[in-house]
Amino acid sequence: MQNIRIELQKAEQFLAPGSVEALQPQVKAAREALESGQCAGNDFLGWLHLPSSITPEFLAQIKACAQTLRENCDTIVVAGIGGSYLGARAVIDALANSFEWLTNQGENPNILFAGNNIGEDYLYELTEYLRGRKFGVINISKSGTTTETALAFRLLKKQCEEQRGKDVARQVIVAITDAKKGAARTTADKEGYTSFIIPDNVGGRFSVLTPVGLLPIACAGFDIDALIRGAQDMEQLCGCETPYEENPAAQYAAVRNALYQSGKKIEILVNFQPKLHYMNEWWKQLYGESEGKDQKGIFPAAVDFSTDLHSMGQWIQEGERTIFETVISVIDQRHTLLFPHDDENLDGLNFLEGRRVDEVNKMAELGTQLAHVDGGVPNMRIVMPKLDEYYLGQLIYFFEVGCGVSGLVLGVNPFNQPGVEAYKKNMFALLGKPGYEAETEAIKSRL
Ligand code: PA5
């Protein structure tokens, strides 16, 4: 079995000789600090050996719950925000047939997402769509108090109970939350919902391999055993014992930090597969929330190519030279589609006759990489043999450990997110939430 691997040469060529080597001791120390727990945020290291600690019995429980939902629902709404939805969405989008949801005639329920915004029209249209459907809800919130999610869940719970009756609703609403605290836990216990626990020591953005990601992914019909196997193999490969030259996460952390120190402040994650759009979004949250603090941190941006070559491509080719790219390159496609012959050849594309669409995509990828390197953009390439559960498991764990190591090398606590609280405090003050009277008065005086 191959592993995902990382190509660095087209990034390292932009760096002063010795600059990556100089960071290697820090990378090693950071990886060892994660292992020994001697680092900032060490109460949130539960993700580090999560893959190898997952038992078949635990996976069987997740699969049994997913089976109940699949048997009783044509649609499942996953309510959650940030780390409580992006991982599941990334994996499901990467694996699902892009058009099955339009007909909803496949064997899998439609998986929809809510609780990740406060758009009134979005929620209204969702409730309209769900009218008359046999839908269930997976309510995911580690704190159990996140406003976006709680708001959506209140609407969904009410509609589910009205449409399906309280007894069925109790079977098709599942909670994934803290073991003891938070409103989601209180409601789950009172209503008798099936529930799963998000471990205390796993932060939201590192939680995709807990029930947070596993249950929705299993509900969508995908193989969570293979996902975990991939993560387990990457856990081994990115361990403390693996030398730098063989450890992709250590290499990624070293090179991106060296680029940052050389003035490349923005990392753009690139894919050439529309199915990876939400993997980009998951990655942005993972790295943005982990590293952007203390007035430091690489800004994580993302593009879908070749789509965005026709929008952001100009900026990347010729804009300010403060960027580097990390390209996720998928070698094998699931399907084969050959260009047909056309007698008239009005579009001039007969030179592609009989060739695969993916060959064109691969040449777009190579051509783009060479053009961007020529334009002064360092390029790393993460090579995935194919887009399946096993390699997505590898990719997820690779990015997680790369993030933990990178953040420590940068000198921040990668596992907290104090900055996220500021908007919440203002929003509650503006809405007049009980307990925020002083803040309400203070903020109103500023308007
Ligand atoms: O990574 C994080 O901790 C956050 O993005 C959370 O996942 C997000 O804010 C949702 O929080 P909760 O699961 O408590 O509703």
Side-chain angles (χ1 to χ4, degrees), residues 393-439:
Q394 284 205 356
L395 186 71
I396 286 167
Y397 190 83
F398 158 79
F399 275 138
E400 287 182 351
V401 73
C403 181
V405 172
S406 260
L408 293 179
V409 170
L410 179 70
V412 299
N413 174 355
F415 308 114
N416 65 3
Q417 55 285 328
V420 178
E421 295 310 310
Y423 96 91
K424 293 185 193 170
K425 203 175 116 228
N426 286 348
M427 178 176 74
F428 292 146
L430 289 164
L431 286 168
K433 184 174 176 173
Y436 282 76
E437 290 75 12
E439 287 87 349

mmCIF file of all heavy atoms in Angstrom, residues 393-439:
data_model
loop_
_atom_site.group_PDB
_atom_site.id
_atom_site.type_symbol
_atom_site.label_atom_id
_atom_site.label_comp_id
_atom_site.label_asym_id
_atom_site.label_seq_id
_atom_site.Cartn_x
_atom_site.Cartn_y
_atom_site.Cartn_z
ATOM 1 N N GLY A 393 -8.366 9.409 5.236
ATOM 2 C CA GLY A 393 -7.923 9.224 6.620
ATOM 3 C C GLY A 393 -6.456 9.608 6.774
ATOM 4 O O GLY A 393 -6.071 10.285 7.734
ATOM 5 N N GLN A 394 -5.652 9.197 5.808
ATOM 6 C CA GLN A 394 -4.229 9.588 5.841
ATOM 7 C C GLN A 394 -4.084 11.107 5.773
ATOM 8 O O GLN A 394 -3.319 11.719 6.529
ATOM 9 C CB GLN A 394 -3.491 8.965 4.643
ATOM 10 C CG GLN A 394 -3.192 7.492 4.786
ATOM 11 C CD GLN A 394 -1.980 7.075 3.939
ATOM 12 O OE1 GLN A 394 -1.410 7.872 3.196
ATOM 13 N NE2 GLN A 394 -1.597 5.825 4.068
ATOM 14 N N LEU A 395 -4.805 11.704 4.833
ATOM 15 C CA LEU A 395 -4.666 13.148 4.612
ATOM 16 C C LEU A 395 -5.070 13.940 5.861
ATOM 17 O O LEU A 395 -4.387 14.894 6.253
ATOM 18 C CB LEU A 395 -5.540 13.570 3.416
ATOM 19 C CG LEU A 395 -5.381 15.019 2.968
ATOM 20 C CD1 LEU A 395 -4.026 15.237 2.302
ATOM 21 C CD2 LEU A 395 -6.503 15.435 1.995
ATOM 22 N N ILE A 396 -6.179 13.529 6.473
ATOM 23 C CA ILE A 396 -6.668 14.232 7.666
ATOM 24 C C ILE A 396 -5.624 14.186 8.774
ATOM 25 O O ILE A 396 -5.265 15.204 9.374
ATOM 26 C CB ILE A 396 -8.004 13.589 8.137
ATOM 27 C CG1 ILE A 396 -9.125 14.012 7.185
ATOM 28 C CG2 ILE A 396 -8.328 13.961 9.583
ATOM 29 C CD1 ILE A 396 -10.412 13.217 7.350
ATOM 30 N N TYR A 397 -5.114 13.001 9.041
ATOM 31 C CA TYR A 397 -4.152 12.904 10.146
ATOM 32 C C TYR A 397 -2.860 13.650 9.803
ATOM 33 O O TYR A 397 -2.271 14.320 10.658
ATOM 34 C CB TYR A 397 -3.863 11.445 10.515
ATOM 35 C CG TYR A 397 -3.060 11.386 11.793
ATOM 36 C CD1 TYR A 397 -3.681 11.455 13.038
ATOM 37 C CD2 TYR A 397 -1.670 11.352 11.757
ATOM 38 C CE1 TYR A 397 -2.950 11.471 14.216
ATOM 39 C CE2 TYR A 397 -0.920 11.369 12.935
ATOM 40 C CZ TYR A 397 -1.568 11.424 14.158
ATOM 41 O OH TYR A 397 -0.839 11.459 15.324
ATOM 42 N N PHE A 398 -2.442 13.542 8.560
ATOM 43 C CA PHE A 398 -1.232 14.266 8.116
ATOM 44 C C PHE A 398 -1.379 15.768 8.402
ATOM 45 O O PHE A 398 -0.485 16.409 8.960
ATOM 46 C CB PHE A 398 -1.014 14.012 6.617
ATOM 47 C CG PHE A 398 -0.177 15.048 5.929
ATOM 48 C CD1 PHE A 398 1.198 15.047 6.044
ATOM 49 C CD2 PHE A 398 -0.781 16.052 5.164
ATOM 50 C CE1 PHE A 398 1.976 16.030 5.414
ATOM 51 C CE2 PHE A 398 -0.025 17.025 4.537
ATOM 52 C CZ PHE A 398 1.363 17.012 4.668
ATOM 53 N N PHE A 399 -2.540 16.335 8.017
ATOM 54 C CA PHE A 399 -2.738 17.767 8.232
ATOM 55 C C PHE A 399 -2.826 18.091 9.724
ATOM 56 O O PHE A 399 -2.359 19.137 10.173
ATOM 57 C CB PHE A 399 -3.990 18.254 7.511
ATOM 58 C CG PHE A 399 -3.764 18.622 6.059
ATOM 59 C CD1 PHE A 399 -4.683 18.253 5.080
ATOM 60 C CD2 PHE A 399 -2.648 19.358 5.664
ATOM 61 C CE1 PHE A 399 -4.484 18.603 3.736
ATOM 62 C CE2 PHE A 399 -2.447 19.711 4.325
ATOM 63 C CZ PHE A 399 -3.366 19.338 3.365
ATOM 64 N N GLU A 400 -3.454 17.199 10.505
ATOM 65 C CA GLU A 400 -3.580 17.486 11.941
ATOM 66 C C GLU A 400 -2.211 17.549 12.611
ATOM 67 O O GLU A 400 -1.906 18.498 13.336
ATOM 68 C CB GLU A 400 -4.452 16.420 12.616
ATOM 69 C CG GLU A 400 -5.926 16.563 12.283
ATOM 70 C CD GLU A 400 -6.828 15.556 12.979
ATOM 71 O OE1 GLU A 400 -6.318 14.609 13.615
ATOM 72 O OE2 GLU A 400 -8.050 15.711 12.880
ATOM 73 N N VAL A 401 -1.392 16.546 12.365
ATOM 74 C CA VAL A 401 -0.102 16.537 13.059
ATOM 75 C C VAL A 401 0.799 17.631 12.477
ATOM 76 O O VAL A 401 1.546 18.288 13.217
ATOM 77 C CB VAL A 401 0.528 15.120 13.045
ATOM 78 C CG1 VAL A 401 1.062 14.735 11.715
ATOM 79 C CG2 VAL A 401 1.614 14.995 14.103
ATOM 80 N N GLY A 402 0.677 17.874 11.184
ATOM 81 C CA GLY A 402 1.436 18.982 10.581
ATOM 82 C C GLY A 402 1.061 20.302 11.225
ATOM 83 O O GLY A 402 1.914 21.181 11.441
ATOM 84 N N CYS A 403 -0.206 20.444 11.577
ATOM 85 C CA CYS A 403 -0.701 21.679 12.187
ATOM 86 C C CYS A 403 -0.183 21.825 13.619
ATOM 87 O O CYS A 403 0.292 22.899 14.013
ATOM 88 C CB CYS A 403 -2.233 21.646 12.165
ATOM 89 S SG CYS A 403 -2.977 23.111 12.856
ATOM 90 N N GLY A 404 -0.262 20.746 14.386
ATOM 91 C CA GLY A 404 0.233 20.804 15.768
ATOM 92 C C GLY A 404 1.713 21.176 15.801
ATOM 93 O O GLY A 404 2.134 22.065 16.557
ATOM 94 N N VAL A 405 2.500 20.520 14.954
ATOM 95 C CA VAL A 405 3.941 20.781 14.933
ATOM 96 C C VAL A 405 4.207 22.208 14.443
ATOM 97 O O VAL A 405 4.985 22.958 15.040
ATOM 98 C CB VAL A 405 4.664 19.743 14.033
ATOM 99 C CG1 VAL A 405 6.123 20.113 13.833
ATOM 100 C CG2 VAL A 405 4.555 18.343 14.633
ATOM 101 N N SER A 406 3.552 22.602 13.370
ATOM 102 C CA SER A 406 3.749 23.943 12.800
ATOM 103 C C SER A 406 3.460 25.043 13.808
ATOM 104 O O SER A 406 4.208 26.015 13.930
ATOM 105 C CB SER A 406 2.779 24.160 11.636
ATOM 106 O OG SER A 406 3.400 23.960 10.436
ATOM 107 N N GLY A 407 2.334 24.885 14.505
ATOM 108 C CA GLY A 407 1.933 25.908 15.466
ATOM 109 C C GLY A 407 2.952 26.042 16.590
ATOM 110 O O GLY A 407 3.264 27.158 17.028
ATOM 111 N N LEU A 408 3.464 24.917 17.047
ATOM 112 C CA LEU A 408 4.454 24.989 18.125
ATOM 113 C C LEU A 408 5.754 25.615 17.619
ATOM 114 O O LEU A 408 6.397 26.392 18.322
ATOM 115 C CB LEU A 408 4.712 23.588 18.706
ATOM 116 C CG LEU A 408 3.531 22.956 19.463
ATOM 117 C CD1 LEU A 408 3.905 21.563 19.976
ATOM 118 C CD2 LEU A 408 3.068 23.830 20.631
ATOM 119 N N VAL A 409 6.141 25.284 16.383
ATOM 120 C CA VAL A 409 7.352 25.905 15.817
ATOM 121 C C VAL A 409 7.147 27.424 15.693
ATOM 122 O O VAL A 409 8.042 28.220 15.972
ATOM 123 C CB VAL A 409 7.704 25.278 14.445
ATOM 124 C CG1 VAL A 409 8.805 26.067 13.740
ATOM 125 C CG2 VAL A 409 8.125 23.814 14.618
ATOM 126 N N LEU A 410 5.940 27.812 15.327
ATOM 127 C CA LEU A 410 5.617 29.241 15.203
ATOM 128 C C LEU A 410 5.656 29.935 16.571
ATOM 129 O O LEU A 410 5.862 31.152 16.658
ATOM 130 C CB LEU A 410 4.214 29.368 14.594
ATOM 131 C CG LEU A 410 3.621 30.744 14.370
ATOM 132 C CD1 LEU A 410 4.360 31.474 13.241
ATOM 133 C CD2 LEU A 410 2.134 30.633 14.004
ATOM 134 N N GLY A 411 5.450 29.156 17.614
ATOM 135 C CA GLY A 411 5.500 29.724 18.970
ATOM 136 C C GLY A 411 4.146 30.134 19.508
ATOM 137 O O GLY A 411 4.053 31.041 20.335
ATOM 138 N N VAL A 412 3.069 29.503 19.019
ATOM 139 C CA VAL A 412 1.736 29.792 19.574
ATOM 140 C C VAL A 412 1.163 28.511 20.185
ATOM 141 O O VAL A 412 1.697 27.423 19.974
ATOM 142 C CB VAL A 412 0.755 30.309 18.482
ATOM 143 C CG1 VAL A 412 1.264 31.604 17.880
ATOM 144 C CG2 VAL A 412 0.505 29.263 17.385
ATOM 145 N N ASN A 413 0.057 28.672 20.913
ATOM 146 C CA ASN A 413 -0.689 27.505 21.387
ATOM 147 C C ASN A 413 -1.650 27.105 20.265
ATOM 148 O O ASN A 413 -2.643 27.791 20.024
ATOM 149 C CB ASN A 413 -1.465 27.871 22.657
ATOM 150 C CG ASN A 413 -2.386 26.743 23.116
ATOM 151 O OD1 ASN A 413 -2.527 25.716 22.438
ATOM 152 N ND2 ASN A 413 -3.001 26.922 24.268
ATOM 153 N N PRO A 414 -1.384 25.994 19.567
ATOM 154 C CA PRO A 414 -2.229 25.666 18.414
ATOM 155 C C PRO A 414 -3.611 25.140 18.802
ATOM 156 O O PRO A 414 -4.430 24.891 17.919
ATOM 157 C CB PRO A 414 -1.449 24.551 17.694
ATOM 158 C CG PRO A 414 -0.200 24.314 18.462
ATOM 159 C CD PRO A 414 -0.319 24.999 19.780
ATOM 160 N N PHE A 415 -3.860 24.942 20.078
ATOM 161 C CA PHE A 415 -5.065 24.208 20.455
ATOM 162 C C PHE A 415 -6.130 25.053 21.154
ATOM 163 O O PHE A 415 -7.111 24.522 21.644
ATOM 164 C CB PHE A 415 -4.667 22.997 21.321
ATOM 165 C CG PHE A 415 -3.613 22.173 20.648
ATOM 166 C CD1 PHE A 415 -2.329 22.064 21.177
ATOM 167 C CD2 PHE A 415 -3.876 21.547 19.435
ATOM 168 C CE1 PHE A 415 -1.338 21.332 20.524
ATOM 169 C CE2 PHE A 415 -2.899 20.827 18.777
ATOM 170 C CZ PHE A 415 -1.624 20.714 19.316
ATOM 171 N N ASN A 416 -5.920 26.377 21.207
ATOM 172 C CA ASN A 416 -6.994 27.220 21.754
ATOM 173 C C ASN A 416 -7.500 28.154 20.653
ATOM 174 O O ASN A 416 -6.990 28.147 19.524
ATOM 175 C CB ASN A 416 -6.509 28.015 22.977
ATOM 176 C CG ASN A 416 -5.420 29.016 22.605
ATOM 177 O OD1 ASN A 416 -5.062 29.171 21.437
ATOM 178 N ND2 ASN A 416 -4.886 29.701 23.596
ATOM 179 N N GLN A 417 -8.531 28.925 20.963
ATOM 180 C CA GLN A 417 -9.087 29.865 19.977
ATOM 181 C C GLN A 417 -9.723 31.037 20.707
ATOM 182 O O GLN A 417 -10.917 31.298 20.554
ATOM 183 C CB GLN A 417 -10.081 29.187 19.010
ATOM 184 C CG GLN A 417 -11.250 28.432 19.623
ATOM 185 C CD GLN A 417 -10.854 27.097 20.210
ATOM 186 O OE1 GLN A 417 -9.948 26.440 19.718
ATOM 187 N NE2 GLN A 417 -11.514 26.705 21.284
ATOM 188 N N PRO A 418 -8.908 31.753 21.514
ATOM 189 C CA PRO A 418 -9.497 32.823 22.326
ATOM 190 C C PRO A 418 -10.171 33.905 21.481
ATOM 191 O O PRO A 418 -11.145 34.519 21.913
ATOM 192 C CB PRO A 418 -8.296 33.388 23.102
ATOM 193 C CG PRO A 418 -7.085 32.937 22.360
ATOM 194 C CD PRO A 418 -7.448 31.651 21.703
ATOM 195 N N GLY A 419 -9.672 34.108 20.270
ATOM 196 C CA GLY A 419 -10.190 35.189 19.432
ATOM 197 C C GLY A 419 -11.612 34.979 18.962
ATOM 198 O O GLY A 419 -12.283 35.921 18.530
ATOM 199 N N VAL A 420 -12.100 33.746 19.026
ATOM 200 C CA VAL A 420 -13.455 33.469 18.522
ATOM 201 C C VAL A 420 -14.524 34.060 19.451
ATOM 202 O O VAL A 420 -15.669 34.274 19.051
ATOM 203 C CB VAL A 420 -13.655 31.934 18.347
ATOM 204 C CG1 VAL A 420 -15.049 31.601 17.869
ATOM 205 C CG2 VAL A 420 -12.631 31.367 17.362
ATOM 206 N N GLU A 421 -14.126 34.337 20.698
ATOM 207 C CA GLU A 421 -15.130 34.794 21.675
ATOM 208 C C GLU A 421 -15.583 36.238 21.458
ATOM 209 O O GLU A 421 -16.689 36.606 21.838
ATOM 210 C CB GLU A 421 -14.565 34.659 23.098
ATOM 211 C CG GLU A 421 -14.296 33.227 23.522
ATOM 212 C CD GLU A 421 -15.487 32.305 23.276
ATOM 213 O OE1 GLU A 421 -16.611 32.645 23.689
ATOM 214 O OE2 GLU A 421 -15.292 31.242 22.627
ATOM 215 N N ALA A 422 -14.715 37.062 20.819
ATOM 216 C CA ALA A 422 -14.992 38.502 20.767
ATOM 217 C C ALA A 422 -16.329 38.805 20.093
ATOM 218 O O ALA A 422 -17.138 39.591 20.597
ATOM 219 C CB ALA A 422 -13.847 39.217 20.053
ATOM 220 N N TYR A 423 -16.599 38.169 18.953
ATOM 221 C CA TYR A 423 -17.853 38.486 18.243
ATOM 222 C C TYR A 423 -19.056 38.002 19.025
ATOM 223 O O TYR A 423 -20.117 38.623 19.026
ATOM 224 C CB TYR A 423 -17.837 37.892 16.821
ATOM 225 C CG TYR A 423 -18.529 36.557 16.683
ATOM 226 C CD1 TYR A 423 -19.885 36.474 16.352
ATOM 227 C CD2 TYR A 423 -17.852 35.352 16.904
ATOM 228 C CE1 TYR A 423 -20.532 35.247 16.235
ATOM 229 C CE2 TYR A 423 -18.481 34.136 16.800
ATOM 230 C CZ TYR A 423 -19.823 34.089 16.465
ATOM 231 O OH TYR A 423 -20.461 32.882 16.371
ATOM 232 N N LYS A 424 -18.875 36.854 19.713
ATOM 233 C CA LYS A 424 -20.014 36.291 20.461
ATOM 234 C C LYS A 424 -20.435 37.258 21.567
ATOM 235 O O LYS A 424 -21.619 37.496 21.776
ATOM 236 C CB LYS A 424 -19.622 34.954 21.097
ATOM 237 C CG LYS A 424 -19.355 33.849 20.105
ATOM 238 C CD LYS A 424 -19.096 32.542 20.845
ATOM 239 C CE LYS A 424 -18.521 31.497 19.927
ATOM 240 N NZ LYS A 424 -18.031 30.313 20.619
ATOM 241 N N LYS A 425 -19.428 37.806 22.257
ATOM 242 C CA LYS A 425 -19.714 38.727 23.372
ATOM 243 C C LYS A 425 -20.506 39.930 22.855
ATOM 244 O O LYS A 425 -21.527 40.328 23.416
ATOM 245 C CB LYS A 425 -18.382 39.176 23.989
ATOM 246 C CG LYS A 425 -18.500 39.641 25.403
ATOM 247 C CD LYS A 425 -17.140 39.958 25.984
ATOM 248 C CE LYS A 425 -17.068 41.409 26.317
ATOM 249 N NZ LYS A 425 -15.990 42.192 25.925
ATOM 250 N N ASN A 426 -20.060 40.490 21.733
ATOM 251 C CA ASN A 426 -20.757 41.639 21.147
ATOM 252 C C ASN A 426 -22.169 41.270 20.703
ATOM 253 O O ASN A 426 -23.126 42.014 20.915
ATOM 254 C CB ASN A 426 -19.988 42.186 19.945
ATOM 255 C CG ASN A 426 -18.742 42.944 20.369
ATOM 256 O OD1 ASN A 426 -18.570 43.243 21.547
ATOM 257 N ND2 ASN A 426 -17.880 43.252 19.422
ATOM 258 N N MET A 427 -22.287 40.092 20.051
ATOM 259 C CA MET A 427 -23.601 39.684 19.542
ATOM 260 C C MET A 427 -24.589 39.527 20.700
ATOM 261 O O MET A 427 -25.726 40.010 20.626
ATOM 262 C CB MET A 427 -23.463 38.373 18.765
ATOM 263 C CG MET A 427 -24.765 37.821 18.231
ATOM 264 S SD MET A 427 -24.528 36.344 17.233
ATOM 265 C CE MET A 427 -24.163 35.117 18.473
ATOM 266 N N PHE A 428 -24.152 38.869 21.774
ATOM 267 C CA PHE A 428 -25.049 38.670 22.911
ATOM 268 C C PHE A 428 -25.407 40.013 23.549
ATOM 269 O O PHE A 428 -26.564 40.233 23.938
ATOM 270 C CB PHE A 428 -24.406 37.753 23.957
ATOM 271 C CG PHE A 428 -24.245 36.321 23.479
ATOM 272 C CD1 PHE A 428 -23.162 35.550 23.881
ATOM 273 C CD2 PHE A 428 -25.182 35.754 22.630
ATOM 274 C CE1 PHE A 428 -23.012 34.237 23.446
ATOM 275 C CE2 PHE A 428 -25.047 34.444 22.187
ATOM 276 C CZ PHE A 428 -23.954 33.686 22.589
ATOM 277 N N ALA A 429 -24.425 40.910 23.636
ATOM 278 C CA ALA A 429 -24.701 42.228 24.199
ATOM 279 C C ALA A 429 -25.725 42.958 23.330
ATOM 280 O O ALA A 429 -26.688 43.548 23.839
ATOM 281 C CB ALA A 429 -23.410 43.029 24.313
ATOM 282 N N LEU A 430 -25.544 42.905 22.025
ATOM 283 C CA LEU A 430 -26.460 43.600 21.111
ATOM 284 C C LEU A 430 -27.864 42.995 21.145
ATOM 285 O O LEU A 430 -28.863 43.696 20.966
ATOM 286 C CB LEU A 430 -25.901 43.566 19.685
ATOM 287 C CG LEU A 430 -24.670 44.447 19.460
ATOM 288 C CD1 LEU A 430 -23.952 44.066 18.168
ATOM 289 C CD2 LEU A 430 -25.050 45.918 19.442
ATOM 290 N N LEU A 431 -27.930 41.680 21.374
ATOM 291 C CA LEU A 431 -29.234 41.016 21.403
ATOM 292 C C LEU A 431 -29.911 41.133 22.772
ATOM 293 O O LEU A 431 -31.047 40.704 22.941
ATOM 294 C CB LEU A 431 -29.081 39.531 21.039
ATOM 295 C CG LEU A 431 -28.818 39.229 19.558
ATOM 296 C CD1 LEU A 431 -28.394 37.777 19.387
ATOM 297 C CD2 LEU A 431 -30.047 39.514 18.698
ATOM 298 N N GLY A 432 -29.163 41.665 23.756
ATOM 299 C CA GLY A 432 -29.736 41.818 25.101
ATOM 300 C C GLY A 432 -29.885 40.489 25.827
ATOM 301 O O GLY A 432 -30.881 40.266 26.524
ATOM 302 N N LYS A 433 -28.917 39.593 25.673
ATOM 303 C CA LYS A 433 -28.997 38.302 26.360
ATOM 304 C C LYS A 433 -28.913 38.519 27.880
ATOM 305 O O LYS A 433 -28.064 39.296 28.345
ATOM 306 C CB LYS A 433 -27.838 37.415 25.878
ATOM 307 C CG LYS A 433 -27.860 36.008 26.454
ATOM 308 C CD LYS A 433 -26.778 35.130 25.845
ATOM 309 C CE LYS A 433 -26.782 33.765 26.521
ATOM 310 N NZ LYS A 433 -25.890 32.806 25.911
ATOM 311 N N PRO A 434 -29.787 37.837 28.659
ATOM 312 C CA PRO A 434 -29.708 37.984 30.117
ATOM 313 C C PRO A 434 -28.298 37.661 30.613
ATOM 314 O O PRO A 434 -27.678 36.697 30.159
ATOM 315 C CB PRO A 434 -30.731 36.955 30.633
ATOM 316 C CG PRO A 434 -31.692 36.772 29.503
ATOM 317 C CD PRO A 434 -30.901 36.961 28.236
ATOM 318 N N GLY A 435 -27.818 38.499 31.524
ATOM 319 C CA GLY A 435 -26.452 38.317 32.046
ATOM 320 C C GLY A 435 -25.440 39.217 31.354
ATOM 321 O O GLY A 435 -24.298 39.325 31.776
ATOM 322 N N TYR A 436 -25.867 39.868 30.252
ATOM 323 C CA TYR A 436 -24.956 40.742 29.482
ATOM 324 C C TYR A 436 -25.356 42.217 29.619
ATOM 325 O O TYR A 436 -25.033 43.015 28.755
ATOM 326 C CB TYR A 436 -24.957 40.331 28.002
ATOM 327 C CG TYR A 436 -24.129 39.098 27.722
ATOM 328 C CD1 TYR A 436 -24.609 37.837 28.063
ATOM 329 C CD2 TYR A 436 -22.866 39.191 27.144
ATOM 330 C CE1 TYR A 436 -23.857 36.698 27.830
ATOM 331 C CE2 TYR A 436 -22.109 38.054 26.904
ATOM 332 C CZ TYR A 436 -22.607 36.812 27.255
ATOM 333 O OH TYR A 436 -21.843 35.690 27.015
ATOM 334 N N GLU A 437 -26.049 42.579 30.718
ATOM 335 C CA GLU A 437 -26.611 43.932 30.827
ATOM 336 C C GLU A 437 -25.533 45.019 30.718
ATOM 337 O O GLU A 437 -25.709 45.997 29.975
ATOM 338 C CB GLU A 437 -27.387 44.091 32.149
ATOM 339 C CG GLU A 437 -28.695 43.298 32.216
ATOM 340 C CD GLU A 437 -28.513 41.788 32.426
ATOM 341 O OE1 GLU A 437 -27.385 41.350 32.754
ATOM 342 O OE2 GLU A 437 -29.479 41.028 32.236
ATOM 343 N N ALA A 438 -24.408 44.809 31.410
ATOM 344 C CA ALA A 438 -23.354 45.843 31.393
ATOM 345 C C ALA A 438 -22.768 45.972 29.985
ATOM 346 O O ALA A 438 -22.570 47.082 29.465
ATOM 347 C CB ALA A 438 -22.259 45.480 32.390
ATOM 348 N N GLU A 439 -22.539 44.821 29.343
ATOM 349 C CA GLU A 439 -21.983 44.838 27.974
ATOM 350 C C GLU A 439 -22.965 45.490 27.006
ATOM 351 O O GLU A 439 -22.567 46.204 26.090
ATOM 352 C CB GLU A 439 -21.667 43.413 27.491
ATOM 353 C CG GLU A 439 -20.458 42.772 28.133
ATOM 354 C CD GLU A 439 -20.794 42.058 29.444
ATOM 355 O OE1 GLU A 439 -21.922 42.247 29.954
ATOM 356 O OE2 GLU A 439 -19.924 41.343 29.957
#
